[in-house]
Amino acid sequence: MANPVRIRPAVGDDADGVTAVRRAVYEYKVMSPAATRHMITVSAPAERFLALVAEVDGELVAWGSAALNIWTSEPGQSHTSIYVHPKHRNQGIGSALAERLHQHLGEVGAVRTRAFVHPDGLEFARNRGYDGTRQMHYSGVDPRVLPEQPPTPDGIELVSMDQLDPRQAYVADSIASLDEPSDSPLDAIDYDRWLEEVWNSPALDKALSVAAVSGDEVACFTAVETDSDRAWSGMTGSVPAYRGRGLAKLVKSVALRRCAAAGITAAYTSNDDENGPMLAINNWLGYRRVQTEMGLLRPLTT
């Protein structure tokens, strides 16, 4: 390496640096410094979360993290994330992070790990034993330019998420997540962990997030995360009994209009290649693809 590299555990005060590197690598993935700090500092002990950063001459240039997936009933599942600032690639930084993260996962009992890989990193990942399982499409839209808002069906009330009891939101989220395309089912979402990691996260802008409510039940919702003039769709889901009524299209349309009114000029989302209905909704809203990443899996030995 041209300059000495220091790899160390991430701390909350690294949030600004990690956010800057993330934006340099993935302009379409929105995460504020406050949300990044929360990600670094808040995790369940059972996740065995390890977060690392790499520094060159005191400058933070890379991130690496790994943890067990405790929101699935399948034992030993985990996820890994590595990204290196474009100006500091091909210096062995990513390799050093991958080695330490994979070792950690093996020590805590993981049997396989999942990563989403930018096209630039596909060869790197395959050389370390990762293989493709699915595609994740990322797209963006200017929320100031949208088609006409759909009508609200009878019996449905639109509310912002800050008007909900968190238990209402949790029930809808946990039910809708069961149908999310994934290599492992999201079927073991604990309420207390969800409350801490999702509902109480500074990433979630409850005033801009929208739910369609029928009586006391959340029928459909879209969760909005923000960073300055950008927004991210954290999750849009419908409870099965209310599907086929256009509610996902409606709540996203309303939320995007609220984003525009709040000064958001670019909104991004991601969709698994298998999620045809949501891809169709986003195409109707005017989202245009900005990147496709590969979802890859790597077996781990313990």
Side-chain angles (χ1 to χ4, degrees):
M1 301 183 201
N3 296 302
V5 176
R6 179 190 178 205
I7 295 178
R8 60 169 176 80
V11 296
D13 288 344
D14 292 321
D16 286 341
V18 173
T19 302
V21 174
R22 180 184 175 92
R23 182 159 186 169
V25 177
Y26 311 109
E27 187 177 0
Y28 48 90
K29 292 183 180 180
V30 178
M31 183 178 286
S32 68
T36 301
R37 177 181 289 271
H38 187 267
M39 175 186 66
I40 294 171
T41 58
V42 177
S43 63
E47 291 179 84
R48 305 298 297 272
F49 179 62
L50 175 63
L52 303 171
V53 293
E55 294 177 325
V56 175
D57 294 332
E59 178 188 0
L60 198 154
V61 301
W63 162 270
S65 65
L68 295 173
N69 180 358
I70 63 172
W71 285 10
T72 181
S73 61
E74 292 186 4
Q77 306 307 306
S78 65
H79 46 83
T80 302
S81 174
I82 297 172
Y83 46 90
V84 181
H85 194 286
K87 293 182 179 179
H88 294 273
R89 292 177 182 167
N90 301 313
Q91 299 178 32
I93 297 173
S95 298
L97 289 169
E99 182 177 357
R100 290 182 61 169
L101 294 171
H102 292 154
Q103 179 182 356
H104 170 73
L105 288 174
E107 291 172 351
V108 301
V111 298
R112 71 174 183 176
T113 193
R114 181 186 188 187
F116 286 103
V117 180
H118 192 277
D120 290 348
L122 190 56
E123 182 179 0
F124 173 91
R126 292 201 186 282
N127 288 341
R128 284 154 185 82
Y130 285 85
D131 198 9
T133 60
R134 58 198 335 111
Q135 289 186 328
M136 183 67 74
H137 302 300
Y138 295 83
S139 55
V141 68
D142 184 339
R144 300 167 297 182
V145 184
L146 298 171
E148 184 177 351
Q149 181 175 312
T152 302
D154 292 340
I156 294 294
E157 180 185 4
L158 298 178
V159 301
S160 57
M161 276 197 177
D162 56 10
Q163 297 175 259
L164 296 177
D165 181 277
R167 180 70 70 167
Q168 290 176 289
Y170 164 77
V171 170
D173 192 10
S174 58
I175 292 174
S177 294
L178 292 173
D179 295 330
E180 277 289 289
S182 179
D183 297 301
S184 299
L186 294 173
D187 57 357
I189 302 176
D190 176 77
Y191 175 69
D192 289 336
R193 291 314 313 165
W194 176 91
L195 193 68
E196 185 69 15
E197 296 185 22
V198 178
W199 188 257
N200 292 334
S201 170
L204 180 61
D205 191 322
K206 299 184 186 72
L208 298 182
S209 302
V210 176
V213 178
S214 176
D216 293 330
E217 184 177 26
V218 174
C220 182
F221 66 92
T222 187
V224 176
E225 303 174 11
T226 56
D227 177 27
S228 184
D229 61 348
R230 300 182 304 153
W232 173 261
S233 177
M235 169 69 171
T236 299
S238 297
V239 172
Y242 294 93
R243 290 176 185 166
R245 300 177 63 183
L247 296 181
K249 181 185 288 187
L250 174 62
V251 295
K252 286 208 73 169
S253 178
V254 173
L256 287 170
R257 284 172 165 79
R258 293 184 180 184
C259 285
I264 301 295
T265 59
Y268 297 94
T269 191
S270 64
N271 295 104
D272 190 281
D273 193 51
E274 295 181 3
N275 196 346
M278 202 66 235
L279 286 167
I281 290 171
N282 289 333
N283 287 338
W284 177 82
L285 285 165
Y287 280 90
R288 296 294 177 262
R289 192 167 300 174
V290 296
Q291 188 58 268
T292 295
E293 295 185 9
M294 288 295 298
L296 306 179
L297 292 172
R298 180 189 191 272
L300 298 165
T301 57
T302 57

